[in-house]
Amino acid sequence: MSEATERPGPGPGREPDPDAWERACAEDLAAENARRRAAGGPGEQPGSAAEELRKLVEAVADKVSSFQLPLAGAAAQGAVREIVEQAKAAALPVIERNPEVFDHLASAGSELLAAYRAAVTRQEARWTRDEPAHEPPAPREGEAKSGGSERIDLD
């Protein structure tokens, strides 16, 4: 079918719906999320960072809500459950609207961890070979030595 026959115009006397695209996208996103939740189960592969964060928020909220505090009364436990539900209601929409942000944050964290491991591995190799660390250059005449800080050589 051609594009014109698949999506006919608004027709005579009808205005186009300005929110149709937004609603269609929201429906598609909700259907995809429902499909992913239904497909999930034990032993599944880890999903995106946003999906994993959503699962973590829900698991923590469920666990905190299930605590039975012997010294707290029913009102205190109800207040804790209410706070947990409010936090969950605030966090989940942010995660759903911005999944790519959490993927980028996870990638950045992985890169930082790799850089840290490389620096530590190199320094450990120097220590085991008893190599002296590179000394920073002595301050020039007239320059005050910086107090309280030390140069850390990552090379």
Side-chain angles (χ1 to χ4, degrees):
M1 287 184 139
S2 71
E3 184 70 18
T5 58
E6 288 178 4
R7 293 183 181 88
R14 293 190 328 198
E15 290 293 319
D17 183 3
D19 296 327
W21 183 256
E22 182 180 346
R23 273 198 315 277
C25 289
E27 290 170 2
D28 288 348
L29 178 60
E32 179 63 17
N33 287 339
R35 184 193 65 78
R36 286 183 181 178
R37 282 188 208 106
E44 69 184 51
Q45 294 294 326
S48 68
E51 184 68 17
E52 294 301 312
L53 182 58
R54 184 190 62 75
K55 289 178 186 177
L56 176 65
V57 167
E58 289 179 351
V60 169
D62 291 344
K63 190 67 172 178
V64 170
S65 295
S66 70
F67 285 152
Q68 296 296 323
L69 304 173
L71 300 176
Q77 288 179 346
V80 168
R81 284 190 186 100
E82 180 64 28
I83 291 169
V84 167
E85 287 302 315
Q86 287 176 354
K88 187 175 163 183
L92 292 180
V94 173
I95 294 168
E96 293 291 328
R97 281 192 310 262
N98 304 300
E100 66 281 349
V101 170
F102 296 100
D103 289 337
H104 288 298
L105 289 173
S107 295
S110 296
E111 289 295 320
L112 287 171
L113 181 59
Y116 175 76
R117 282 183 178 156
V120 168
T121 301
R122 197 171 299 143
Q123 186 62 41
E124 285 176 342
R126 278 194 210 130
W127 288 336
T128 58
R129 291 189 306 254
D130 289 330
E131 291 180 9
H134 297 290
E135 294 296 322
R140 295 183 195 143
E141 190 173 322
E143 287 183 358
K145 185 177 179 182
S146 60
S149 66
E150 181 181 343
R151 181 175 181 273
I152 298 174
D153 185 13
L154 296 178
D155 292 331

